[in-house]
Amino acid sequence: MPTPRRLRRAALPLAATALLATAVTACTSSGGSGGSGGDQRLKVALAFPPAQAMSPYGDDAVTLSRLAVVEGLTRLDRDGEAEPALATSWKRDGDRAWLFTIRPDTVFQDGTELDAAAVVRSLAAAQQASPKPRVLSDTTLTPTAEGADTVRITTKDADPLLPQRLANPSLSVLSAGAYAKSGAKVDPAGHATGPFTLAEVNGAVSATLERNDTYWGAKAKAPGVDVKFVADGTARANALRTKDVDVAEYVPISQASLLGDGLVHEFPSARTNGLSLNTGRGVFADPAMRAAARAAIDPKALVDGVYEGRADPAQGLLGPGVPWAAGLRTAPTGRAKAATPAEVRKTPEIVLATYTNRPELPEVATVVQQQLEKSGFTVKQVVRDYAQMEADALAGKYDGFIQARNTLLDTADPVSYLASDFTCDGSFNITQLCAKPVDTAVDKAAALADTDARHKAEMTAEAAILGSDALVPLVHERFVQGYDDARVQGVALDPMERTLITADTRIG
């Protein structure tokens, strides 16, 4: 585990800083629970510690969104459609431009005003970030202010999904203070607009949130949130059982039946767990070896043996959480003939990696290792905390990487997932895949404004990706979140994983 580091307390006005200090002191003196009922602070256990010091340009952005800290111009409704957030309305202006009207009389958590210039600054910073946020892997945004309350956003190509794209947490709008330190990571602490202010982060251990009393919408019902980052799933479940936490995300399947229905809330997801094979180097640079690995995998054994029936065998990249996909799925195209067992046995040892933050994945890796070895591969496992593995996975240092991926996380439409994970310029391309048929198919889907036509084109792209055997789909997950529904109210059960704690989340 990394040495704990502290983010500086946000550059808040003096009065706000004093208020935060008072709240933290009160929380500490009362054992972290505050008063009673709606006055109690929330105690939350999250599975993933910050991987990039709460930078909004990686997976930490999702954590900030799930804790109701950051907001963008839009947000997504339950159907994945864009609705107003920091923008009150928008309209197209030609093929490649959109005009967004900024919400009036809105201030950041540090007291500065939200205006068009602030939006332009945040979107431009995201566009220039390195590595580029996944949601921008297939487009370029050029924002310009037109007066104090209107922003024009021009895209490289026609982008019918821009309103949904702007709901992505990596495109959150932050105040100037977030960018104040030249060359430093962008700092969201105290510089966002959400119902909760990120007051402090203690490395990979914990975080403290306080209610944002200047929030433009309904004020948070809880005075604050005390977050623990607990990678061990059994430890999260035990903390929920003993009431050390009020909410525990991603309860392990093995613990769900032990906790009981009152503490466990299962719901469908858009998440697919898959085995990414490194197409760029090593054993799996050979399509025949990738085909042999795919043929060796039995997803049903994973569903029955690891997930205890609380998952579905993967049929493709897009599962039950993307309900239209099954009816449009076509057979994979361009698959290579699998190498023979004798050929497989001649290959060097492969490194199969996964992470501990999702407790089922190490078990999945063990079963997959056994299946691969039965087919002749020699396999070495590497299992660590995700924060310690992401950079190596993206750099192609593993032969195989088992990950759980939400296919709707970026824009609520899978085209951005397909672009970021499987195209030559994709910013989250763990498979290292670079194949012209895939790029062409994804580009075609991204350009289509008609929803039905885009969905058909996305399934053509899925067929090309599956044909490359760059990723072997394993299972489609169901989410299991933990909280006591008799005492905790307002927890969001979001298939797209954008929200968890909201302004309405409270005790009692």
Side-chain angles (χ1 to χ4, degrees), residues 158 160 415 437-450 453-458 460-461:
V415 71
V438 171
D439 278 32
T440 299
V442 173
D443 287 346
K444 179 179 178 180
L448 294 172
D450 179 76
R454 186 172 64 253
H455 287 171
K456 290 179 182 178
E458 287 164 345
T460 298

Side-chain angles (χ1 to χ4, degrees), residues 340-366:
T340 66
E343 291 170 328
V344 169
R345 283 193 290 271
K346 295 177 182 179
T347 59
E349 180 182 69
I350 61 173
V351 177
L352 175 66
T354 195
Y355 44 96
T356 58
N357 309 75
R358 293 186 179 276
E360 292 78 29
L361 293 190
E363 295 183 59
V364 168
T366 297

Side-chain angles (χ1 to χ4, degrees), residues 459-477:
M459 298 312 292
T460 298
E462 184 201 63
I465 293 165
L466 293 176
S468 74
D469 284 322
L471 183 134
V472 181
L474 301 175
V475 303
H476 303 302
E477 276 192 3

Side-chain angles (χ1 to χ4, degrees), residues 38-54:
D39 294 332
Q40 291 190 50
R41 295 177 64 85
L42 292 164
K43 296 174 292 184
V44 177
L46 299 186
F48 293 89
Q52 299 169 323
M54 288 296 191

Side-chain angles (χ1 to χ4, degrees), residues 113-167:
E113 184 179 356
L114 171 70
D115 57 14
V119 174
V120 169
R121 178 177 53 242
S122 291
L123 294 181
Q127 184 64 59
Q128 295 163 12
S130 180
K132 186 182 294 186
R134 287 195 304 261
V135 69
L136 296 180
S137 63
D138 59 339
T139 193
T140 299
L141 306 183
T142 304
T144 54
E146 296 193 354
D149 62 357
T150 302
V151 173
R152 176 186 296 273
I153 301 176
T154 305
T155 57
K156 178 182 66 173
D157 302 305
D159 187 3
L161 290 174
L162 184 64
Q164 287 96 324
R165 191 183 299 274
L166 292 170

